[in-house]
Every structure is written in C-alpha cells, then in structure tokens.
Amino acid sequence: MNGEPDLCIGGAWRHASDGGTRSSINPADGSVAGVVDEATVEDARAAVAAARTAFDDGTWPSTPVIERAALLDRVADLLQRDKESLSLLETADTGKTLAESRIDIDDVTSVFRYYAKLVGVQSDRLVDVGDASVVSRVVREPIGVCVLIAPWNYPLLQMSWKIAPALAAGCTMVAKPSEVTPLSTIAFVHLLEEAGVPPGVVNLVQGSGAVLGDALTGDPAVDFVSFTGGLATGRTISRVAAEHVTKVAVELGGKNPHIVFADAADSAESFDMAVDHVLTGVFLHSGQVCSAGTRLIVEESIADDFVAALAERAAKIRVGNGMDPASETGPLVSEQHRDKVEAYVALGISEGAKLVVGGERPSDPALADGSYYLPTIFDRCDRTMRIVTEETFGPILTVERFTDEAEAIRLGNDTDYGLAAGVRTSDAARGERVVRALRHGTVWLNDFGYYTAAAEWGGFGKSGNGRELGPAGLAEYQEMKHIWHNTAPMPAGWFKG
Ligand code: TXE
C-alpha cells in the first residue's frame, strides 16, 4: 500500500506484474484512503499456482490439528492487538462508523477463536460394518485450493468467515477482497504471516473481479470457490466454476422481510421497541447489509401509526463521517453505489410508492464531498414494484401491510431471495408457527440482526447455496473420506471360474 508491495504470492510480497495500481477512495470525503497494487490475470494465475504447490508439496494440509488450532488462536490474539489500526483502515475504506469497525474486528476475532476450538475437537467417525476384521472410518481431509472472494460492506469480516475455516481445515487459498475495499485485508495477510502461516498457504491478489474473476474461478487447479457478493456475479462465478465441476458456495444477499404483528406493539413500550428494531434492522451501516430488514410487513391495524413513528425516528438518524463519534451511520461505499441507490429511489417514486421520509442527500455542506444518503421510507408498496423485489443495498425501507397471519407468511416468503427474516409477536405459539413457515436461512423472533460464529449463515433460494460459520461452515472446506480397512481379507468368491 502506498508504495509497499500488496500482492502476496507464494510467501513473497510483490507489485503487480504490469506495475498497475488503484486508488481506494474514502467515501466520507472523497479523499484517497490508499494506493494499492492492482493484480493482472498473470498475477492471479501465479497466486493459484502458488496455492496449488503449497497444498500438494507443503506441510500445512498435514500439520497436526492442534498446531493449526494454535495458529488460529495466535491470529485472534494479533487481531486484538491490532484492533484499532485495522478498525481505522476499515472505516477509511468503507465509510462505516469507527464503532462499527471495532465491532467487526471483535467479530473477526471470535470467528478465529471459534474455528480453533471446533477443529480441535473434531474426530474421525467409526462405522460399525458388522465385521470385527474390518475397521471402517470416515475421516475429514482439506478440500484443497480455495478461492475466496469477498465484498465491500464487511471486508475483513466476510473474508474471515472464509479464511478461518479454510486454515482450520488445512486448505491453501487465494484471497481476493473487493477492489473497492482492499486495505484491511492487506494488513490482515501481513498479520497472518506474523502468526506463522507458512508461505503459499494464503495468497492475496487485489483487483477488479471482472478482470481477474475467470482466472481465479475457472482454473482447474482450484478445488473450491467461496464467494459473497451480488446475485449477477454469483451466477457468473457458478457458471465459470462449473466448467471444471469446481465446488462453489455463494452468499448473494437478500430482500429480507421484517414482519410486525399488532400484538407486538400493543403497549407504548413494546411499540417503541418494535420501531427501534425495525429502524436498526434496515438503517444500520446505511442499509449496506445483506441481511438488512428492507421490507417492513406490518399489520394493517397499526400500520399508519407505526410508519409515522418510524419516519420520525429515521429523520433524526445522524448521518455523517464515520470518524466523528457523533455519527450514527456513515456514507454509502462509493459515488457509483449512491448513484444506484438514487436510481432505485427514483424508480420507487415512478412505481407509485409513497415517499414518507428521506429520498435525498443530506443538505449539510460539510458532507458534500462524501457519498451520503438519507434514510428513506416508502409506504404503500407491493410486490409489483422493483424496489420491493430487488436488493437496493442502501438505506431504503419499503412498507407492505397485511391483515392476517397467513397473508403475513405469504408476503414474507414472496421473494426470490431467502437470506434472513424477522418476526415480532407477543404470541409465542404464533411466533413459532411463523418462523417455521418462513423460507429464510436466519429468522429472528422478537429481535433482529444478531448472529454468532457458532451458528450457520446462508440463504434459501437465490440468496445462494452452502453455509458459512458454525460446523457446516467448516465442513465446506473438508472432504469426507471413507476408509475401509480389512485386517483379514478373504476371497470375494463371486466369480467361480
Ligand atoms: O458486487 P460484486 P458489487 C450486492 C448489492 C450490490 C450488488 C453489486 O446488491 O449493490 O451486489 O455490488 C468480485 N468473478 N451485494 O458490484 O460484483 C468483486 O471484485 C469473480 C451483496 O460490488 O458481486 C468483489 O470482490 N469475482 C453482498 C466481489 O466479487 C468477481 C455484498 C463482490 O462484488 C467477478 C456486496 C467475477 N466475474 C454486494 N465480478 C452480500 N451478499 O452481502 C466481481 N467480482
């Protein structure tokens, strides 16, 4: 970064083979957050080859589990040591508030600690085949060379959900952060080196996915691609990887319903809490969250009051520079992304949705150089509108109304995606019925947005396939091998001649 080499290939830090660089822009004020080497296709191929060599000829895949776990714990310690500097990089690159970045680094730490523990207690499975002379067991082996492609909204967090289990499993890898937010991942790969990750195990390239993508995901030397990002890119990657029947896991965002029954807001206190959770669920990180609760589905009897209270609080959200402790949410990640969000707002208006609050940039001249956008609410929405069906990935809440439980469930499932959903009700039986009926990978009942490293994360439908976090998030990086060992073999006796 800023003159230092940023590509890590086979344990050596290098500049791009053609000397190319890219400026990473701080969306809070348009300044340059860092100048970073931009890999070429040749660099991407070299990174895959280095990962392949490290897997086939290196020691990491056969390093005892206890040592791999100890390394993950060391990474966690170093993350805490460097928490402030990593948080500052994350805020400079993404625009998110420093408070959010600090939470991200704590979450990254937990992921490493979790997988250190989990891999340490995994054991082979003995299978009783009813023959005392046969030892039959199922063992886990690393899947091989992994390509890990991350997005820009949670750069280090999303990358850690991939790197931690990949390392725990004994894989080697090529990591490609988003070209929009590479800074924290570069610092992190230095940290991995310091923790003792052997050369070639974690390779790093930065650059445009459109340029490097096929070289990374279509290389026959790759065994697994883990991708988090947009639906269109997920489709492309799945197609390219299919050429060599390469396993793919993709997390492609969501259009997540937050269903509010009237009984969850029947006292002043519960009403305020429901408003608070809906507000946080959609406007945190200015809506740039794959699990953001972007579709409010509210019972008709309370809808008018609920939307009015939401609008009042949305108008008070302090949008500003993430480095200012007074800011409650930062800018959108880039000018281009704000253009996209603004186009969705214009579309919503033309589709006939009722704009209740927001729908514009902040007027504060101090924010003029950043890509800020105000929290926006559209009422009177329905499924014919693209703002209800498509992921806007900005601070936009759409409101739909229902009159009974069946309709609430139908609306909640009426999406091509299926990443996350929220349900608010004081009726426990109804709550259980509705959460079981919703076809989403995570469902919160009377809460919203929380996750833990120990529970699986991923989507139904077009939100993707595969899982991250939890035991399944490690299993993605492991092949199961059945070993049948006959200690006293006999002739099969099938063919008599
Ligand atoms: O994502 P891309 P973009 C959604 C959100 C957003 C939309 C587009 O709706 O508005 O996606 O965002 C790499 N082969 N999400 O364009 O392109 C790219 O370099 C291989 C949801 O920024 O999906 C980056 O590293 N890789 C999401 C990563 O893919 C390719 C978070 C993600 O970028 C590639 C972010 C290719 N052909 C956006 N093309 C979530 N699920 O949380 C690009 N990339």
Side-chain angles (χ1 to χ4, degrees):
M1 199 192 321
N2 302 334
E4 295 298 315
D6 299 316
L7 313 182
C8 185
I9 301 176
W13 288 89
R14 309 184 188 171
H15 293 294
S17 53
D18 67 354
T21 59
R22 176 192 290 258
S23 295
S24 196
I25 303 301
N26 182 337
D29 55 13
S31 63
V32 174
V35 179
V36 167
D37 293 316
E38 174 95 345
T40 60
V41 166
E42 194 189 340
D43 296 327
R45 292 207 178 107
V48 171
R52 187 76 255 168
T53 303
F55 190 82
D56 293 341
D57 305 333
T59 54
W60 186 247
S62 56
T63 296
V65 159
I66 195 163
E67 287 178 32
R68 295 208 299 262
L71 185 140
L72 264 69
D73 269 328
R74 277 201 299 283
V75 172
D77 293 342
L78 295 177
L79 279 161
Q80 284 303 296
R81 183 198 69 187
D82 294 350
K83 177 174 167 180
E84 202 57 17
S85 58
L86 289 167
S87 302
L88 287 165
L89 285 177
E90 208 69 312
T91 289
D93 233 3
T94 63
K96 67 174 67 180
T97 62
L98 196 52
E100 285 176 82
S101 293
R102 290 180 181 134
I103 293 171
D104 284 5
I105 304 306
D106 283 344
D107 286 359
V108 172
T109 308
S110 316
V111 172
F112 276 86
R113 294 241 188 265
Y114 172 71
Y115 281 118
K117 280 206 181 64
L118 183 66
V119 78
V121 297
Q122 281 192 329
S123 52
D124 298 347
R125 196 171 89 239
L126 283 177
V127 180
D128 182 355
V129 295
D131 179 343
S133 64
V134 171
V135 182
S136 166
R137 66 194 198 277
V138 177
V139 301
R140 295 182 179 84
E141 295 185 355
I143 194 167
V145 172
C146 306
V147 163
L148 313 175
I149 301 177
W152 42 258
N153 55 339
Y154 288 90
L156 200 50
L157 184 68
Q158 297 286 353
M159 193 56 101
S160 75
W161 291 12
K162 304 177 192 307
I163 291 184
L167 280 175
C171 294
T172 63
M173 62 211 77
V174 179
K176 196 202 83 62
S178 166
E179 58 272 38
V180 185
T181 55
L183 303 186
S184 57
T185 307
I186 297 170
F188 180 62
V189 173
H190 281 289
L191 184 153
L192 292 176
E193 247 184 353
E194 186 184 343
V197 173
V201 171
V202 179
N203 301 275
L204 171 69
V205 290
Q206 282 85 231
S208 149
V211 173
L212 306 179
D214 290 8
L216 293 171
T217 62
D219 191 321
V222 172
D223 299 296
F224 177 48
V225 177
S226 175
F227 167 77
T228 304
L231 178 55
T233 307
R235 275 202 185 100
T236 305
I237 287 175
S238 301
R239 265 199 299 267
V240 173
E243 176 66 22
H244 298 292
V245 201
T246 304
K247 179 181 164 186
V248 169
V250 291
E251 200 265 73
L252 308 177
K255 195 66 193 177
N256 314 292
H258 199 161
I259 299 171
V260 178
F261 286 91
D263 63 17
D266 55 6
S267 67
E269 197 185 11
S270 64
F271 183 93
D272 287 348
M273 177 134 67
V275 168
D276 182 70
H277 284 195
V278 171
L279 191 83
T280 313
V282 62
F283 294 127
L284 189 78
H285 195 13
S286 295
Q288 302 166 113
V289 182
C290 52
S291 53
T294 51
R295 294 174 63 204
L296 170 63
I297 297 174
V298 59
E299 192 159 351
E300 180 65 60
S301 59
I302 60 163
D304 285 343
D305 291 345
F306 201 83
V307 172
L310 264 177
E312 196 184 324
R313 286 200 55 187
K316 290 185 193 153
I317 290 177
R318 291 197 301 268
V319 178
N321 189 319
M323 291 301 294
D324 178 351
S327 302
E328 293 174 320
T329 190
L332 296 174
V333 75
S334 64
E335 287 289 337
Q336 294 84 332
H337 188 53
R338 181 171 63 178
D339 290 347
K340 175 177 163 177
V341 168
E342 286 185 322
Y344 269 115
V345 170
L347 180 68
I349 291 167
S350 74
E351 286 175 322
K354 182 181 164 209
L355 181 64
V356 180
V357 69
E360 58 187 352
R361 301 175 182 190
S363 54
D364 181 353
L367 303 182
D369 292 333
S371 41
Y372 299 91
Y373 202 76
L374 291 178
T376 298
I377 299 178
F378 279 113
D379 197 0
R380 302 286 167 190
C381 296
D382 64 60
R383 167 86 172 148
T384 63
M385 301 173 178
R386 281 175 53 201
I387 50 161
V388 174
T389 57
E390 295 177 16
E391 191 182 48
T392 64
F393 228 59
I396 302 177
L397 178 72
T398 62
V399 183
E400 297 158 84
R401 296 155 181 245
F402 68 90
T403 50
D404 60 30
E405 183 179 315
E407 189 183 16
I409 293 169
R410 187 180 59 72
L411 288 171
N413 283 335
D414 194 7
T415 170
D416 291 343
Y417 288 103
L419 186 63
V423 180
R424 301 196 71 80
T425 176
S426 59
D427 178 337
R430 167 148 70 194
E432 283 299 319
R433 277 196 305 273
V434 177
V435 297
R436 293 309 297 263
L438 288 171
R439 305 260 312 149
H440 296 262
T442 296
V443 185
W444 294 285
L445 181 54
N446 295 332
D447 218 333
F448 202 91
Y450 293 96
Y451 78 98
T452 157
E456 277 76 4
W457 180 267
F460 289 35
K462 291 194 173 58
S463 288
N465 53 55
R467 287 292 180 272
E468 298 195 284
L469 304 180
L474 179 57
E476 296 283 4
Y477 294 86
Q478 295 173 319
E479 291 281 18
M480 308 293 268
K481 179 184 282 179
H482 176 208
I483 299 173
W484 174 290
H485 178 189
N486 195 335
T487 57
M490 301 282 288
W494 186 267
F495 297 109
K496 309 296 180 204

